[in-house]
Amino acid sequence: MPFVSAAELGVILLSLKVALWSVVVSLPLAIAAAHMLARHDFPGKSLLDAVVHLPLVLPPVVVGYFLLILFGRQGPLGVWLESWFGVVVAFRWTGAALACAVMGFPLMVRAIRLSMEAIDPKLEAAAETLGAGPLGVFATITLPLALPGIITGTLLSFARSLGEFGATITFVSNIPGETETLPLAIYALTQVPGGDAQALRLCVISIILSLAALLVSEALVRRAGRRVLGYDAVGRG
């Protein structure tokens, strides 16, 4: 008897797809937000910082409810996406990815921002004196040196997406084969008689996937850290 059934395998693959797309979509925005908060002073910076971290302190159900209002079939952004691009996110797996992206966004931004703030500004200034423009400095100095934070933030957000429940079930409901990710499947199994064994298997799988993401993050960060140290030594030399 296989460890997981075909239905459970579908739940696992859907969860991985949702988590993957959530970080793919949010990573460019997280890098931009982190760079803005780490390297620029402007009116409303504290407010932007608070808004970015709001999903960490709000109940996930509240986040899911506002996503439903904004991106539902009758919501202003939902109507715009459907009419202009033919994209529907409410009660679809794409909506689950959006909910996960929003909930994991603060973790990603925070890790990247801390990494950027640790970069010596003199290295960026040196690149500017050699003729590099703002984009050139960002691409050749800031991004490579911030790589450990980018890796950490991405994989933390990925692991957070694997465990996202409240915002997802509020925004896209629990539809088998479409939006039923691991947490939603576990919850559904705990509500039916005889579902404990299956729920326990999915819990174990969820733990394994989350641990794997954290271990991969640690290994990649160590490797990127060694490269950054070498890069920094060359720059100082």
Side-chain angles (χ1 to χ4, degrees), residues 15-155:
S15 299
L16 293 173
K17 179 171 75 169
V18 166
L20 177 63
W21 277 104
S22 73
V23 298
V24 168
V25 170
S26 58
L27 182 58
L29 296 175
I31 292 175
H35 187 262
M36 186 175 297
L37 292 171
R39 284 291 185 258
H40 300 280
D41 290 317
F42 52 89
K45 180 178 178 179
S46 297
L47 179 61
L48 175 62
D49 191 26
V51 170
V52 166
H53 289 88
L54 200 57
L56 285 180
V57 296
L58 279 177
V61 174
V62 174
V63 176
Y65 179 69
F66 279 111
L67 287 175
L68 186 60
I69 291 175
L70 293 173
F71 290 93
R73 297 295 292 264
Q74 304 302 319
L77 296 179
V79 170
W80 178 73
L81 285 174
E82 186 173 4
S83 60
W84 284 89
F85 302 101
V87 175
V88 178
V89 294
F91 306 107
R92 302 285 178 86
W93 75 265
T94 49
L98 175 60
C100 291
V102 172
M103 295 304 297
F105 190 72
L107 296 175
M108 189 181 291
V109 171
R110 188 167 183 80
I112 298 173
R113 178 184 178 180
L114 290 174
S115 188
M116 288 183 176
E117 288 177 341
I119 299 173
D120 188 349
K122 293 179 181 178
L123 295 174
E124 296 170 323
E128 291 178 354
T129 61
L130 294 174
L135 288 178
V137 172
F138 180 75
T140 60
I141 302 297
T142 309
L143 273 184
L145 292 179
L147 186 58
I150 294 173
I151 294 172
T152 300
T154 299
L155 289 175

